[in-house]
Amino acid sequence: MNLQRLIKPLFSILVVLAVLTDGSGAPTSVIAKNGLTHSVLRVQSTNQAYDFFHPWVKKESVSRRGVGALLEGGRILVTAELIENSNLIELEKVDAPGKATATVELVDFDCNLAILRPDDPTFIEEMVPLRLESGLYSGDEATVVQLEPNGELAKTTGRITSVTIGGYPFVNLGLLVFKLSAPLQQRDWSFTLPVVRDGGLCGLVMRYDSRNQTSELIPPPVIAHFLKEVSSGTYRGFARLGVSFSPLRDPQLRQYLGLEGNGGIYVKKVAPDSAAAQAGLQKGDVILAINGKALDQDGNYEDPDFGKILFSHLTNTRMHPGDLCEVRVFRDHKPMTLSLRTEVPDEAKQPSKAHSGGKPPKYVVLGGLVFMELSRDYLREWGAAWRDKAPQRLVYFDTFQDEMPENRGTIVILSQVLPSPGTIGYEHLENLIVSRVNGREIKSLEDLVAAAETPGNGFQKVEFEEDPKMIYLDAQGILETSMGLMDQYGLPALQRL
Amino acid sequence: MLRFQILLMVVFAAGLQASHITESVVRIEGTSLEPNYKMPWNPGEVRSGAGTGFVISGNRIMTNAHVVSNARFLTVSKEGDPQPWIARVAHIAHDCDLALLEVERKGFFSGMLPLEFGGIPTIESIVSVYGYPIGGSRLSVTRGIVSRIDFQTYSHSGMDSHLAVQIDAAINPGNSGGPVMQAGKVVGVAFQGFRGDIAQNVGYMIPTPVVTRFLKDVEDGTYDRYVDLALTYESLFNPAMRKALGLEDDNCGVLVSSVYSTGSSEGLVEPGDVLLSIDGLKISSDGMIPIDANGPVPLTEVVERKFKGDKVELEVLRHGQKKTFSVPLHSPWPFTLQASAYDEKPRFVVFGGLVFQPVDWNFMEAHDPGNQRLNYLFDYFVKDELHKTVREPVVIGSILPDPVNSYAGEFLHAPVESINGEPIRSIEDVATAFAKPVDYHLISLLGDDRPIVLESKLVEKARPRILERYGVTSEQNLKK
């Protein structure tokens, strides 16, 4: 786990670098212009995240700069991190002056990839798209492409040292990560860096660990899956089985379950509503094989390309949503086969969303009470140690949301109170889970808005799961004071849904 | 559970000499055995400490509970008398940090005048604190004024709040249990303060309503603890709220938010009721009542002065109708799980090298577990009424590594749901469930983990090995 701390996002070194490299000596090998010069672009994205504590405002903007790779069809591939919450994306050619704006055509935070398209298609007319080089394996050489300030390409070649299932910045879906061992210099425009081999694109650098001189790449299979989905016309993304598991190494547990041999994993949770749940997979089942590929006791199968690797590569990356998946299961001392079609879960059903995807947070201000939907982004406002610092009840509900009743809906909270004459006595209320408004159950902010339209006897009644169990507001007073409230606290609108 | 207040008991290494003293104040030296909640079979750590006490009527010495908690050997000495006298605890009340000591050998009290109790001193009046704080061995007297009279958390239990009086006289470690005097009478017992780096000249004393309540409670020979309404209430300042509840604009009444099951008010008071008066005293909209001449105090002060079995009259407004209840008072048990416990032995069951322990404040303090599910169980045990399903949560408190449990390491601090199909609602259930004759013991954990399976044969084989290697002198203790 220490490793996690060592790996800094490239972003952190970039800021220093702008100062370090401007005009001063360029240290590594600068290779003369070649075809690549016409296949990569500088991408600058000015990003502004929403302030989840004050959801009507944005935080200070930050600029992220990287190198994008031009692909067939005028698509420019970058990491999703580069353009998260972007206000403005500008492209620059490597060897020619002039800027062009670009728009995000598609972004998938699950795999940290995004496709950009220049608003003026003629901007890239003269350029040569890169093909995807898919044959990249452990031990192979690959080259990271960086840019010198003068537009020269700086190439650093290293070796792929490991192929694992690893962490992606937004969601942990069990996708492949390649590690490339190569000492990268601090250079500007390095937030996203293309990796090439034999003149084809074979990865994007998403993190660099300067201490171990190791880059983590989004590898060809993940990019290929993403691009195939993009080309299909209706993007579905990365599916998942919907189970969490435990390795089955303990011989006593294996004996108890009546398992012979060495393989199989223990299903400890089946996500409600998932394809696995619909197919009848249960907690306590042992998964022996998926699509005929036997799983070992840690959940690895023998992949034709990468050898022993976690089954999530098979179900999430190799297979596409809707593909048929045969799961060989051992239940009650008997083997059986279940078949299901993998699917991408509907995130709207999550009680607390894992990632906002750059969408503005929803909020409703009702007479000074600020209501929001609970989300991981909200909790993250407490900083890196949010699991300890954020209100524990909310952290608990976020962490164990899978255990809630299936129709729980989204958790709506009273995040804070903007003091006004109507909220006297309520100033101290914050981070309370809303259960009902005017007697109606609340499963989304939309529910809350609808419920607030029918006050009882002239009062808005809000009920919470914790103390104080209920409060009342004067419905007429809310209407009369709302303009003043907007003015006082600088609210652009009383709600955003 | 941040406790920033410190208890004023001095812990010292070598013996100190008694010297000449005023007549009724005594120095208390104690040796205690602090139980070990990490290796609960161990007897614990021997510690020495000293505090102050004073003689009251009936040949008794009053002091703080924290001066004599977990005591194994106690002596008291008078100034000018070199001889330590062996004492023992007659009564101890951890929820209000008071204790009474007796001296067995005759003659100790001869010539000593029992001190008498006064009332609550007024703000700004001068008081003197007597005791044996650090900085010397003889009796010390400091002086100050009464700064504030308010409810405070008593940090000895960490859970209970009672009336406390803040004074600005210097109170230091060793002052604990000493009398605070005004006009020749005891007006309080010095008991806690802040560390010097947090606040200065802030010391607290237990005022006489709390002290006399304790003395009255033990009159029948046993201490019954404080009683509680076991409900929460909210202030009623908001005009819309008052109107909606049908209240007049008279600054009266508070809204009941939660009524805890197993508590005194259960079945009588309901969430949503407005409390109007308690024993005939009108409740203001911030929950205060005029009980003494000293200004308003929280409405619970009425209950604070009552005893187990006493009744309290509550007048409430429910759906616009006034109702009156006579609430019989008792102490709700779930709360004690979250309070520091003393004079108890840790309870545990060792099985297959897994140490099962009940979750309470002492366990949490010793282990400081990072398990989110466990922290929730502890923090919300009362609030979410988890006690309705379990009397106490049980967890795997520690693991004594052995081949029999070599794959169970990941389950440290995991709460246990059932063992061999039996739901686990207390530590006794663990012992009972493992006594079942089975080939494989199945331990299911709360939430979504895989079960732990221990083969009976292997457990039996490992048993002497584990006890021997880890010096486990006893495999279980189920009694407090």
Side-chain angles (χ1 to χ4, degrees), chain A residues 137-173:
Chain A
Y137 307 107
S138 191
D140 285 354
E141 280 194 342
T143 303
V144 180
V145 180
Q146 287 178 289
L147 290 177
E148 293 295 355
N150 61 7
E152 298 292 334
L153 296 183
K155 297 179 172 183
T156 315
T157 301
R159 233 171 249 287
I160 301 294
T161 53
S162 90
V163 171
T164 55
I165 295 296
Y168 275 64
F170 300 102
V171 188
N172 197 352
L173 258 194

Side-chain angles (χ1 to χ4, degrees), chain A residues 78-332:
Chain A
V78 292
T79 58
E81 251 183 317
L82 178 71
I83 52 95
E84 188 194 8
N85 300 311
S86 65
N87 286 341
L88 174 69
I89 300 170
E90 289 172 300
L91 308 174
E92 273 179 78
K93 283 184 197 158
V94 172
D95 58 350
K99 289 185 179 183
T101 55
T103 313
V104 179
E105 181 179 295
L106 205 141
V107 56
D108 188 345
F109 290 96
D110 285 353
C111 61
N112 191 21
L113 287 172
I115 299 276
L116 310 181
R117 205 177 266 285
D119 296 330
D120 173 13
T122 60
F123 185 72
I124 50 168
E125 244 170 21
E126 307 279 294
M127 295 184 70
V128 186
L130 281 172
R131 67 183 164 80
L132 190 66
E133 169 63 47
S134 56
L136 184 68
Y137 307 107
S138 191
D140 285 354
E141 280 194 342
T143 303
V144 180
V145 180
Q146 287 178 289
L147 290 177
E148 293 295 355
N150 61 7
E152 298 292 334
L153 296 183
K155 297 179 172 183
T156 315
T157 301
R159 233 171 249 287
I160 301 294
T161 53
S162 90
V163 171
T164 55
I165 295 296
Y168 275 64
F170 300 102
V171 188
N172 197 352
L173 258 194
L175 305 184
L176 276 188
V177 172
F178 283 12
K179 285 191 181 145
L180 177 83
S181 179
L184 292 184
Q185 302 288 323
Q186 294 195 348
R187 286 188 178 85
D188 216 339
W189 304 90
S190 291
F191 201 91
T192 292
L193 291 173
V195 183
V196 295
R197 176 183 159 84
D198 297 337
L201 180 74
C202 66
L204 289 183
V205 176
M206 57 175 173
R207 279 196 206 97
Y208 179 62
D209 170 4
S210 55
R211 192 172 301 184
N212 293 315
Q213 303 192 331
T214 308
S215 307
E216 287 188 24
L217 319 185
I218 305 174
V222 175
I223 296 176
H225 180 109
F226 174 73
L227 292 178
K228 192 176 167 193
E229 285 290 321
V230 170
S231 312
S232 74
T234 47
Y235 188 87
R236 297 161 303 174
F238 290 76
R240 57 219 81 174
L241 216 49
V243 297
S244 32
F245 72 96
S246 246
L248 266 177
R249 292 189 210 147
D250 187 349
Q252 293 179 86
L253 178 58
R254 297 187 68 89
Q255 276 172 39
Y256 171 78
L257 295 168
L259 272 174
E260 286 165 13
N262 294 318
I265 50 170
Y266 185 91
V267 175
K268 58 181 193 178
K269 181 157 66 179
V270 180
D273 251 6
S274 66
Q278 282 161 24
L281 215 65
Q282 297 170 3
K283 177 181 173 169
D285 284 350
V286 175
I287 300 180
L288 299 172
I290 295 173
N291 282 2
K293 308 266 188 196
L295 305 192
D296 70 8
Q297 55 187 7
D298 292 320
N300 300 320
Y301 75 105
E302 195 65 33
D303 186 85
D305 291 335
F306 306 111
K308 259 191 170 188
I309 201 98
L310 196 67
F311 74 89
S312 60
H313 177 59
L314 176 65
T315 53
N316 303 2
T317 307
R318 277 197 177 264
M319 293 166 67
H320 282 260
D323 284 358
L324 191 68
C325 182
E326 298 236 304
V327 185
R328 186 90 174 136
V329 164
F330 191 75
R331 180 188 297 169
D332 299 331

